[in-house]
Amino acid sequence: EDVIALRQHGAVDVVQVGYSLVDRSEQPLLEYCEKESLGTFIRTPLSRGAAFGKYASQTAPTFEWGDNRHGMSAETLVEQHRPGLSFRFLWDDTGRSPVQAALRFVLDQPGVTAVIPGMKTIEQLEDDAAAGCLSPLTCLELERCASV
């Protein structure tokens, strides 16, 4: 609705959308953007690690001021990350890292133009970039994701 209203005031070429394996609430917006030939930049495609359960099975760290997770209880963080473990089939025995699998899922969605993953190290940058070189997820993998 916001994009439709914004387009009444002038041309819109690209929309920034939050979307990931564990947060697909903006799927209708992606479909609209694809239909209307609008570009999309996907923010938080890893859901701050929750897309692959980064902190679901370990002690959650304390985050610095300025990080969206600063002040969040360890229990809440673990609970937010637990659903991401349901997607292990995308990286277990596939040759993909969890990050690459989560990014590949987003890149394979109709209506997605580009992703904006966060990274803090060169290793994370390399892991993120490698996702673009991987083959798309299979139809069976995408169907399984839809059922989770």
Side-chain angles (χ1 to χ4, degrees):
E1 295 176 4
D2 292 341
V3 175
I4 295 170
L6 185 61
R7 291 183 84 191
Q8 293 176 356
H9 299 284
V12 173
D13 295 319
V14 179
V15 176
Q16 192 176 109
V17 181
Y19 189 83
S20 75
L21 268 169
V22 295
D23 179 7
R24 297 181 231 169
S25 60
E26 295 291 353
Q27 185 67 43
L29 178 56
L30 286 179
E31 293 168 4
Y32 173 82
C33 288
E34 180 184 34
K35 183 179 134 224
E36 296 295 320
S37 299
L38 297 175
T40 57
F41 290 152
I42 306 302
R43 71 176 179 276
T44 62
L46 301 174
S47 291
R48 297 172 184 84
F52 51 93
K54 183 173 184 176
Y55 301 117
S57 58
Q58 66 183 30
T59 302
T62 302
F63 295 97
E64 297 177 10
W65 187 87
D67 187 299
N68 291 354
R69 298 163 293 189
H70 176 74
M72 184 181 293
S73 75
E75 296 80 21
T76 299
L77 189 65
V78 167
E79 200 59 36
Q80 287 180 351
H81 282 239
R82 193 165 286 130
L85 296 178
S86 301
F87 298 99
R88 292 188 71 94
F89 64 91
L90 292 176
W91 58 85
D92 281 349
D93 302 318
T94 66
R96 303 178 195 112
S97 72
V99 167
Q100 292 167 353
L103 290 175
R104 194 67 253 173
F105 170 81
V106 175
L107 287 166
D108 292 343
Q109 299 307 301
V112 170
T113 305
V115 297
I116 312 169
M119 73 234 26
K120 294 182 179 178
T121 67
I122 293 297
E123 292 79 16
Q124 289 174 342
L125 171 66
E126 291 170 345
D127 201 23
D128 290 352
C133 299
L134 296 174
S135 298
L137 299 181
T138 67
C139 291
L140 184 59
E141 289 172 320
L142 291 171
E143 287 173 13
R144 193 165 170 194
C145 287
S147 70
V148 172

